[in-house]
Amino acid sequence: MTQTVPEQVNGHAKPKVSLIKWEPEPPAVVEDAPTVEAVDRPDNPLADWLTVPDAPILPAWARSWKSLTANAAAFGRLCVWHARYHALRVPKYAVRMAWMATKGLWRAVRGLWPTLAAQDQSAAVKALRAQLKAKPDDVDLAVRYAMLHRERTVARRWRWGAAAIAVAGAAIGWSLAPLPLQAAMAAAAAVPLAYLGRGEGAQLLDNPTPPLRVDMTAQQLNDALRAAGLLKQGKGDDEGPRVTCVMGPVRDGRGWSVIFDLPKGGGKTAADVLAKRTTIAAELGVDEIQVIAQRVRAAGGGHAGRVSMWVADDDPYLGEPVKSPLEKLETFSVWEPIPFGQDARGQRITVPVMWQSLFFGGLPRRGKTFTQRLMTAAGLLDPFVRHYVADGKGGADWMPMKAVAHRLVMGAEDDAVEALKAMLKELLAEMERRFVLLRGLPVSVCPEGKLTPGIVEKYNLPVIFVTIDELQEYFTAMDREDREQVINDLCRIARRGPAAGFICNFASQRPDAESVPTKLREIITLRYCTQVVDQTSSDMVLGKGKAAQGADASVLSEEHKGTGVLVTGPASFVTVRADFLDGPAFAELCQRGRTLRQKAGQLTGDAVADVTAAADQADVSIAPVLSDCLTVMRHTARMHTVDLLQRLENLDPDYGDWDAERLARELESAGVKRTTKQVNIGGKNLAGYRREDLEAAVPPELLNAR
C-alpha cells in the first residue's frame, strides 16, 4: 500500500489530494518599511529645482562616434579648403601688408614727431619769448627764457640721439643677421606697423565663403515637408505640427544626415515622404539626385513613420569612374557577393548572385551593357562557371567571350535565332539532368536539394551563367509561335534554374509588353535600371510601383553614365554608381578566364572550337578581316557576300565603306582560297563564301590544337 507523504502548509499536514479549501496566508507585513516621498508633489516648493530636466546632455552631433568622426572629417576638409583659399592669395596679402605697413610707418613718424621735437616744452618757450619781446629789459624773464630754451634743446638732442641709435642698431643687427632671422625681424616690424596703418573697415585677409550648397536645419526640414503637404498648416501664430528629429541634422561625410519621425495624427507615413522626394528637394534648394531617403525598418529600430534622409552637398554620382576591383583579381568565387559599385556616400555595394536572376534595362549609351558585363566578368574568374551568352545586337561588346563561352550567339539573324533556340533546348536538358542527379544524392551530400560548392567540383556541375543582351532583338525577329516558345523556355530556366546553379542575366532597353513580356520580367529577382525617359519606363524595369517608393531611374540625367537604381527586394533599393570595366579590360579577363579553364579542364563547347580565340591566346597573328568573317559566320557554314558585308558593318562600323571587290581582295591577301565563288542558300545561288575556305587560311597548328 502506497503511503502519501503530506506537505507542510502553515505548520499543518496537507495531503496531496484534498477537498478542504485552505485559507490563503495573509501577506507578510514588513516592519519599518521606508516611505519614499515624491519630489514632484504640488506642495513641494523645491519641485521645480529638483526635477531632472528631460533633455539630452550632449548635442546631436556628439551623441555617436559616427557623428563625431563625420563632423571631425568635415571640419578637416573645411580647414584644408580655407588653407588652399588663403594660400592662393598670399601675393595679394603681401602687397596689402606692405601698403598697410607703409601707412603705419607714416603714422608712427607723424605721431613721434612731437616727442622728438620736444613740443611738450615748446609752448612754455614760445610764451616766454612773447613776454620777453614785450619786456626786453626784464632780466629775470630773460634768464628763465634762456634756461627753458636750453632744456628744450637738450631734450631734442637726447631724443633724436636715442632714436638714431635705435635705428642704427636695428639696421646693423638686421644686416648682420641670417636671412631667416631678417625675415622674422621684418615681419615683427611689419605686423605692428600694418596694424597701425589699417583703416576703418580695412582687413588683411579676404572673407571666404565655403562651397556648402546645403545648410540643413530642423526648421528648414519642417518647412520643406510642410510645403510638400506632409505636415499640416498651422493657424495664426501656431506653426503647426513638427517632425521629431531622432538624430541630426548633422554633417555626415559630404552631406547632411537626419533621422526623423513624422507627427502622429497627420495620417502620413514614410512611404509618403519617399514619394515626395522631388518636391522636398526643390524646397531644400537641391537636385532630387542629392536627396537619399529611405524608411527605417523595425530591424533598425524604426517604424512606418520613421525616415532616414541624407542630402549631399553636390551631385554624388559625378566625377571619374571607379575601376572594378575584378581587374586586379586572379580568381574569384561566384558563391561570394560580386563587387558592383558604390552608393552616394562612397560605400561599397556588392551583389550576391547565387540563387538569383538579374535584369538590366535603360536607354542606349548609358552604361547598361558595361554594367551587365560586371556580373559576367566575375564569372570569368571562376573556372567552375560555364557561360552561355547571346547578344541580340551582334556588336563588339560581347565578342571577347568567344574565348570562354560554352555557347556564344551573336546577332538576331535567322541563323542566330536558330542557334539561340538550340542553346535554350540544351540548357533545359542540362537543367533536367541536374535535377535528376540532385534528387538521387543523399541528404548528407545535398541537404537542401540544391547545388553546393562541393557538388560542383565532385560531380562536375559548374555554375551556369545564362547571359542575354538586347533581348528584345530576338523577340522582334521571331514569329509569334517561336516567340512564345522561347519566352516559355526562358521562364522555365529563370524560375527553376537557380536551384540547379543557373544564373540568368538578361538585359533590354525599355522592356514593354511587346519587347519583354511581363511574365518573364516578374520572375527576375534583382533589377538594375540606368536612365529612362519617365517613371513608367522605370517601373517596367524595376517593378510596378517602385518609382512611388523612391526607386525612380527617370531622375538620372545624361551625365550619369554607369549609374542606375538597383532593386534587391520588395522594399530594398539603392542608387549605385557601377564600377567601370572597359572593353580592353574585359577582353583581358576573358583570356585570363580561358587560361583558368584550361588548367581546370573546364574549357568546353564553342570556346574549344574557336580558332580566333585560340590565336589570341597563342599570340598568333591572323588578319583582322579573316578573324571578323569567322566570327560573324560562326552559326552558318556558308553566307552570301551581301549578308557578310552587312554583318561585318554591324560588328565594326569601319566596314561600312567596303564592297564585294575589296572584301575579296582583303581575304585573298589573308590567304583565303575560294573553292567556289557562288554559294546556294535557301535556293538562292549568289556570290558568297564557305566557312571551310576561311578556316583553311588559319595556321595549321591552331586547327590541330582545336
Short mmCIF file of all heavy atoms in Angstrom, two decimals, residues 524-573:
data_model
loop_
_atom_site.label_atom_id
_atom_site.label_comp_id
_atom_site.label_asym_id
_atom_site.label_seq_id
_atom_site.Cartn_x
_atom_site.Cartn_y
_atom_site.Cartn_z
N ILE A 524 12.22 37.75 -62.41
CA ILE A 524 13.56 38.22 -62.10
C ILE A 524 13.59 38.81 -60.69
O ILE A 524 12.71 39.59 -60.32
CB ILE A 524 14.02 39.27 -63.13
CG1 ILE A 524 13.83 38.72 -64.56
CG2 ILE A 524 15.46 39.66 -62.88
CD1 ILE A 524 14.62 37.49 -64.86
N THR A 525 14.61 38.48 -59.92
CA THR A 525 14.69 38.92 -58.53
C THR A 525 15.50 40.20 -58.35
O THR A 525 15.13 41.06 -57.55
CB THR A 525 15.29 37.81 -57.66
OG1 THR A 525 16.54 37.39 -58.23
CG2 THR A 525 14.35 36.61 -57.60
N LEU A 526 16.60 40.34 -59.08
CA LEU A 526 17.45 41.53 -58.96
C LEU A 526 17.34 42.34 -60.25
O LEU A 526 17.48 41.79 -61.34
CB LEU A 526 18.92 41.14 -58.73
CG LEU A 526 19.21 40.30 -57.48
CD1 LEU A 526 20.69 39.97 -57.40
CD2 LEU A 526 18.77 41.02 -56.22
N ARG A 527 17.13 43.66 -60.09
CA ARG A 527 16.93 44.50 -61.28
C ARG A 527 17.77 45.77 -61.15
O ARG A 527 17.92 46.33 -60.05
CB ARG A 527 15.46 44.86 -61.45
CG ARG A 527 14.53 43.66 -61.49
CD ARG A 527 13.11 44.07 -61.79
NE ARG A 527 12.20 42.94 -61.74
CZ ARG A 527 10.95 42.97 -62.18
NH1 ARG A 527 10.47 44.09 -62.72
NH2 ARG A 527 10.18 41.92 -62.10
N TYR A 528 18.25 46.22 -62.31
CA TYR A 528 19.08 47.43 -62.35
C TYR A 528 18.66 48.25 -63.56
O TYR A 528 18.52 47.72 -64.66
CB TYR A 528 20.55 47.04 -62.45
CG TYR A 528 21.51 48.21 -62.48
CD1 TYR A 528 21.90 48.82 -61.30
CD2 TYR A 528 22.02 48.69 -63.67
CE1 TYR A 528 22.80 49.88 -61.30
CE2 TYR A 528 22.90 49.76 -63.69
CZ TYR A 528 23.29 50.34 -62.51
OH TYR A 528 24.17 51.39 -62.52
N CYS A 529 18.46 49.55 -63.34
CA CYS A 529 17.97 50.41 -64.41
C CYS A 529 18.80 51.68 -64.47
O CYS A 529 18.94 52.40 -63.47
CB CYS A 529 16.50 50.76 -64.17
SG CYS A 529 15.76 51.75 -65.51
N THR A 530 19.37 51.96 -65.64
CA THR A 530 20.03 53.24 -65.88
C THR A 530 18.96 54.26 -66.29
O THR A 530 17.77 54.02 -66.15
CB THR A 530 21.10 53.10 -66.97
OG1 THR A 530 20.49 52.60 -68.18
CG2 THR A 530 22.18 52.11 -66.54
N GLN A 531 19.37 55.40 -66.79
CA GLN A 531 18.42 56.47 -67.08
C GLN A 531 17.35 56.02 -68.07
O GLN A 531 17.63 55.34 -69.06
CB GLN A 531 19.15 57.69 -67.65
CG GLN A 531 18.23 58.88 -67.89
CD GLN A 531 18.82 59.91 -68.82
OE1 GLN A 531 19.81 59.65 -69.49
NE2 GLN A 531 18.22 61.08 -68.88
N VAL A 532 16.11 56.40 -67.78
CA VAL A 532 14.97 56.19 -68.67
C VAL A 532 14.21 57.52 -68.80
O VAL A 532 14.50 58.49 -68.10
CB VAL A 532 14.04 55.08 -68.16
CG1 VAL A 532 14.70 53.72 -68.27
CG2 VAL A 532 13.64 55.34 -66.71
N VAL A 533 13.23 57.53 -69.69
CA VAL A 533 12.56 58.80 -70.01
C VAL A 533 11.51 59.20 -68.99
O VAL A 533 11.25 60.39 -68.79
CB VAL A 533 11.94 58.73 -71.42
CG1 VAL A 533 13.03 58.59 -72.46
CG2 VAL A 533 10.95 57.58 -71.54
N ASP A 534 10.87 58.23 -68.32
CA ASP A 534 9.79 58.58 -67.39
C ASP A 534 9.65 57.49 -66.33
O ASP A 534 10.33 56.46 -66.38
CB ASP A 534 8.47 58.79 -68.13
CG ASP A 534 8.12 57.62 -69.04
OD1 ASP A 534 8.55 56.48 -68.76
OD2 ASP A 534 7.42 57.85 -70.05
N GLN A 535 8.77 57.75 -65.38
CA GLN A 535 8.57 56.80 -64.28
C GLN A 535 7.93 55.50 -64.76
O GLN A 535 8.19 54.44 -64.19
CB GLN A 535 7.69 57.43 -63.20
CG GLN A 535 8.38 58.55 -62.43
CD GLN A 535 7.55 59.04 -61.26
OE1 GLN A 535 6.40 58.62 -61.07
NE2 GLN A 535 8.12 59.92 -60.46
N THR A 536 7.13 55.57 -65.81
CA THR A 536 6.52 54.35 -66.34
C THR A 536 7.59 53.39 -66.85
O THR A 536 7.55 52.18 -66.56
CB THR A 536 5.53 54.70 -67.47
OG1 THR A 536 4.53 55.59 -66.97
CG2 THR A 536 4.88 53.44 -68.01
N SER A 537 8.55 53.92 -67.59
CA SER A 537 9.64 53.09 -68.08
C SER A 537 10.48 52.56 -66.93
O SER A 537 10.95 51.42 -66.96
CB SER A 537 10.52 53.88 -69.04
OG SER A 537 9.78 54.34 -70.15
N SER A 538 10.67 53.38 -65.90
CA SER A 538 11.43 52.93 -64.74
C SER A 538 10.74 51.77 -64.05
O SER A 538 11.37 50.77 -63.67
CB SER A 538 11.63 54.09 -63.76
OG SER A 538 12.36 53.68 -62.63
N ASP A 539 9.42 51.86 -63.90
CA ASP A 539 8.67 50.77 -63.27
C ASP A 539 8.68 49.51 -64.12
O ASP A 539 8.59 48.40 -63.58
CB ASP A 539 7.23 51.21 -63.01
CG ASP A 539 7.12 52.11 -61.78
OD1 ASP A 539 8.11 52.20 -61.04
OD2 ASP A 539 6.04 52.70 -61.57
N MET A 540 8.77 49.67 -65.45
CA MET A 540 8.83 48.48 -66.31
C MET A 540 10.09 47.67 -66.04
O MET A 540 10.08 46.45 -66.14
CB MET A 540 8.78 48.89 -67.78
CG MET A 540 7.41 49.35 -68.25
SD MET A 540 7.42 49.78 -69.99
CE MET A 540 5.70 50.23 -70.22
N VAL A 541 11.18 48.35 -65.72
CA VAL A 541 12.42 47.65 -65.43
C VAL A 541 12.48 47.20 -63.98
O VAL A 541 12.79 46.05 -63.68
CB VAL A 541 13.64 48.54 -65.76
CG1 VAL A 541 14.94 47.82 -65.44
CG2 VAL A 541 13.61 48.96 -67.21
N LEU A 542 12.18 48.11 -63.05
CA LEU A 542 12.39 47.84 -61.63
C LEU A 542 11.20 47.19 -60.95
O LEU A 542 11.36 46.60 -59.88
CB LEU A 542 12.72 49.16 -60.91
CG LEU A 542 13.96 49.90 -61.42
CD1 LEU A 542 14.14 51.20 -60.67
CD2 LEU A 542 15.20 49.03 -61.29
N GLY A 543 10.03 47.27 -61.56
CA GLY A 543 8.85 46.67 -60.95
C GLY A 543 7.76 47.71 -60.74
O GLY A 543 8.04 48.89 -60.51
N LYS A 544 6.54 47.28 -60.79
CA LYS A 544 5.40 48.18 -60.67
C LYS A 544 5.38 48.85 -59.30
O LYS A 544 5.50 48.19 -58.27
CB LYS A 544 4.11 47.42 -60.91
CG LYS A 544 2.87 48.30 -60.93
CD LYS A 544 1.61 47.48 -61.23
CE LYS A 544 0.38 48.37 -61.27
NZ LYS A 544 -0.85 47.59 -61.55
N GLY A 545 5.23 50.17 -59.30
CA GLY A 545 5.13 50.92 -58.06
C GLY A 545 6.44 51.28 -57.42
O GLY A 545 6.45 51.93 -56.37
N LYS A 546 7.57 50.91 -58.02
CA LYS A 546 8.87 51.20 -57.40
C LYS A 546 9.17 52.70 -57.42
O LYS A 546 9.80 53.22 -56.49
CB LYS A 546 9.98 50.44 -58.12
CG LYS A 546 9.92 48.94 -57.94
CD LYS A 546 10.06 48.56 -56.48
CE LYS A 546 9.98 47.06 -56.29
NZ LYS A 546 10.02 46.68 -54.86
N ALA A 547 8.74 53.41 -58.46
CA ALA A 547 9.00 54.84 -58.53
C ALA A 547 8.32 55.57 -57.38
O ALA A 547 8.88 56.52 -56.81
CB ALA A 547 8.55 55.40 -59.87
N ALA A 548 7.11 55.12 -57.02
CA ALA A 548 6.41 55.75 -55.90
C ALA A 548 7.11 55.50 -54.58
O ALA A 548 6.97 56.28 -53.63
CB ALA A 548 4.97 55.25 -55.83
N GLN A 549 7.89 54.43 -54.49
CA GLN A 549 8.65 54.12 -53.28
C GLN A 549 9.99 54.84 -53.24
O GLN A 549 10.70 54.75 -52.24
CB GLN A 549 8.88 52.62 -53.17
CG GLN A 549 7.61 51.80 -53.07
CD GLN A 549 7.89 50.30 -53.03
OE1 GLN A 549 9.03 49.88 -52.92
NE2 GLN A 549 6.85 49.49 -53.10
N GLY A 550 10.35 55.53 -54.32
CA GLY A 550 11.63 56.24 -54.37
C GLY A 550 12.63 55.64 -55.33
O GLY A 550 13.64 56.27 -55.62
N ALA A 551 12.37 54.44 -55.84
CA ALA A 551 13.28 53.80 -56.79
C ALA A 551 12.90 54.26 -58.20
O ALA A 551 12.19 53.57 -58.93
CB ALA A 551 13.20 52.28 -56.67
N ASP A 552 13.39 55.42 -58.58
CA ASP A 552 12.99 56.05 -59.83
C ASP A 552 14.23 56.38 -60.64
O ASP A 552 15.01 57.28 -60.27
CB ASP A 552 12.18 57.31 -59.54
CG ASP A 552 11.66 57.98 -60.80
OD1 ASP A 552 11.78 57.37 -61.89
OD2 ASP A 552 11.15 59.11 -60.71
N ALA A 553 14.43 55.68 -61.75
CA ALA A 553 15.60 55.91 -62.60
C ALA A 553 15.41 57.07 -63.55
O ALA A 553 16.35 57.47 -64.23
CB ALA A 553 15.93 54.64 -63.39
N SER A 554 14.21 57.64 -63.61
CA SER A 554 13.99 58.77 -64.52
C SER A 554 14.60 60.06 -64.00
O SER A 554 14.71 61.03 -64.75
CB SER A 554 12.48 58.96 -64.75
OG SER A 554 11.83 59.34 -63.56
N VAL A 555 14.99 60.11 -62.73
CA VAL A 555 15.62 61.33 -62.20
C VAL A 555 17.09 61.42 -62.60
O VAL A 555 17.71 62.47 -62.42
CB VAL A 555 15.50 61.37 -60.66
CG1 VAL A 555 14.05 61.30 -60.23
CG2 VAL A 555 16.29 60.25 -60.01
N LEU A 556 17.64 60.35 -63.15
CA LEU A 556 19.03 60.39 -63.60
C LEU A 556 19.13 61.22 -64.88
O LEU A 556 18.18 61.30 -65.66
CB LEU A 556 19.54 58.96 -63.85
CG LEU A 556 19.53 58.02 -62.64
CD1 LEU A 556 19.89 56.60 -63.07
CD2 LEU A 556 20.48 58.51 -61.56
N SER A 557 20.28 61.82 -65.10
CA SER A 557 20.49 62.67 -66.26
C SER A 557 21.49 62.04 -67.21
O SER A 557 22.03 60.96 -66.95
CB SER A 557 20.98 64.06 -65.82
OG SER A 557 22.25 63.97 -65.20
N GLU A 558 21.77 62.73 -68.32
CA GLU A 558 22.69 62.21 -69.33
C GLU A 558 24.11 62.08 -68.79
O GLU A 558 24.90 61.28 -69.29
CB GLU A 558 22.70 63.12 -70.56
CG GLU A 558 21.41 63.12 -71.37
CD GLU A 558 20.29 63.93 -70.73
OE1 GLU A 558 20.56 64.58 -69.68
OE2 GLU A 558 19.16 63.91 -71.24
N GLU A 559 24.45 62.88 -67.76
CA GLU A 559 25.80 62.81 -67.20
C GLU A 559 26.01 61.59 -66.32
O GLU A 559 27.15 61.26 -65.98
CB GLU A 559 26.09 64.07 -66.37
CG GLU A 559 26.20 65.35 -67.18
CD GLU A 559 24.84 65.91 -67.56
OE1 GLU A 559 23.83 65.44 -66.99
OE2 GLU A 559 24.78 66.80 -68.43
N HIS A 560 24.94 60.90 -65.97
CA HIS A 560 25.05 59.77 -65.04
C HIS A 560 25.25 58.46 -65.80
O HIS A 560 24.50 57.50 -65.62
CB HIS A 560 23.81 59.69 -64.16
CG HIS A 560 23.63 60.86 -63.25
ND1 HIS A 560 22.47 61.59 -63.18
CD2 HIS A 560 24.50 61.45 -62.39
CE1 HIS A 560 22.61 62.56 -62.31
NE2 HIS A 560 23.84 62.50 -61.82
N LYS A 561 26.27 58.40 -66.61
CA LYS A 561 26.57 57.15 -67.31
C LYS A 561 27.14 56.14 -66.32
O LYS A 561 28.01 56.46 -65.52
CB LYS A 561 27.57 57.41 -68.44
CG LYS A 561 27.00 58.21 -69.59
CD LYS A 561 28.00 58.32 -70.73
CE LYS A 561 27.41 59.08 -71.90
NZ LYS A 561 28.36 59.21 -73.03
N GLY A 562 26.62 54.93 -66.40
CA GLY A 562 27.07 53.89 -65.47
C GLY A 562 26.42 53.97 -64.11
O GLY A 562 26.78 53.21 -63.21
N THR A 563 25.45 54.87 -63.93
CA THR A 563 24.74 55.00 -62.66
C THR A 563 23.30 54.55 -62.86
O THR A 563 22.67 54.90 -63.86
CB THR A 563 24.77 56.44 -62.15
OG1 THR A 563 26.13 56.83 -61.94
CG2 THR A 563 24.01 56.58 -60.85
N GLY A 564 22.79 53.79 -61.92
CA GLY A 564 21.42 53.31 -62.03
C GLY A 564 20.86 52.93 -60.67
O GLY A 564 21.55 52.98 -59.64
N VAL A 565 19.60 52.55 -60.68
CA VAL A 565 18.90 52.14 -59.46
C VAL A 565 18.90 50.62 -59.39
O VAL A 565 18.46 49.95 -60.33
CB VAL A 565 17.47 52.70 -59.42
CG1 VAL A 565 16.77 52.27 -58.14
CG2 VAL A 565 17.48 54.21 -59.55
N LEU A 566 19.38 50.09 -58.29
CA LEU A 566 19.45 48.64 -58.08
C LEU A 566 18.38 48.24 -57.08
O LEU A 566 18.37 48.74 -55.94
CB LEU A 566 20.84 48.25 -57.57
CG LEU A 566 21.03 46.78 -57.17
CD1 LEU A 566 20.92 45.87 -58.39
CD2 LEU A 566 22.37 46.59 -56.48
N VAL A 567 17.48 47.36 -57.50
CA VAL A 567 16.43 46.84 -56.62
C VAL A 567 16.79 45.41 -56.24
O VAL A 567 16.98 44.55 -57.11
CB VAL A 567 15.05 46.87 -57.32
CG1 VAL A 567 14.01 46.16 -56.47
CG2 VAL A 567 14.62 48.31 -57.56
N THR A 568 16.92 45.17 -54.93
CA THR A 568 17.32 43.85 -54.44
C THR A 568 16.22 43.14 -53.67
O THR A 568 16.44 42.03 -53.18
CB THR A 568 18.55 44.00 -53.53
OG1 THR A 568 18.25 44.90 -52.46
CG2 THR A 568 19.74 44.54 -54.32
N GLY A 569 15.07 43.77 -53.52
CA GLY A 569 13.97 43.14 -52.80
C GLY A 569 12.71 43.97 -52.93
O GLY A 569 12.71 45.06 -53.52
N PRO A 570 11.61 43.50 -52.35
CA PRO A 570 10.34 44.22 -52.46
C PRO A 570 10.42 45.65 -51.93
O PRO A 570 9.71 46.53 -52.43
CB PRO A 570 9.38 43.36 -51.63
CG PRO A 570 9.99 41.99 -51.63
CD PRO A 570 11.46 42.20 -51.65
N ALA A 571 11.24 45.90 -50.93
CA ALA A 571 11.34 47.26 -50.37
C ALA A 571 12.78 47.69 -50.21
O ALA A 571 13.08 48.56 -49.40
CB ALA A 571 10.62 47.32 -49.03
N SER A 572 13.69 47.07 -50.96
CA SER A 572 15.11 47.38 -50.83
C SER A 572 15.64 47.86 -52.17
O SER A 572 15.51 47.16 -53.18
CB SER A 572 15.90 46.14 -50.38
OG SER A 572 15.41 45.67 -49.13
N PHE A 573 16.22 49.05 -52.17
CA PHE A 573 16.80 49.59 -53.40
C PHE A 573 17.88 50.59 -53.03
O PHE A 573 17.91 51.12 -51.91
CB PHE A 573 15.73 50.25 -54.28
CG PHE A 573 15.05 51.42 -53.62
CD1 PHE A 573 15.57 52.71 -53.72
CD2 PHE A 573 13.89 51.24 -52.88
CE1 PHE A 573 14.95 53.78 -53.11
CE2 PHE A 573 13.27 52.31 -52.26
CZ PHE A 573 13.80 53.58 -52.38
#
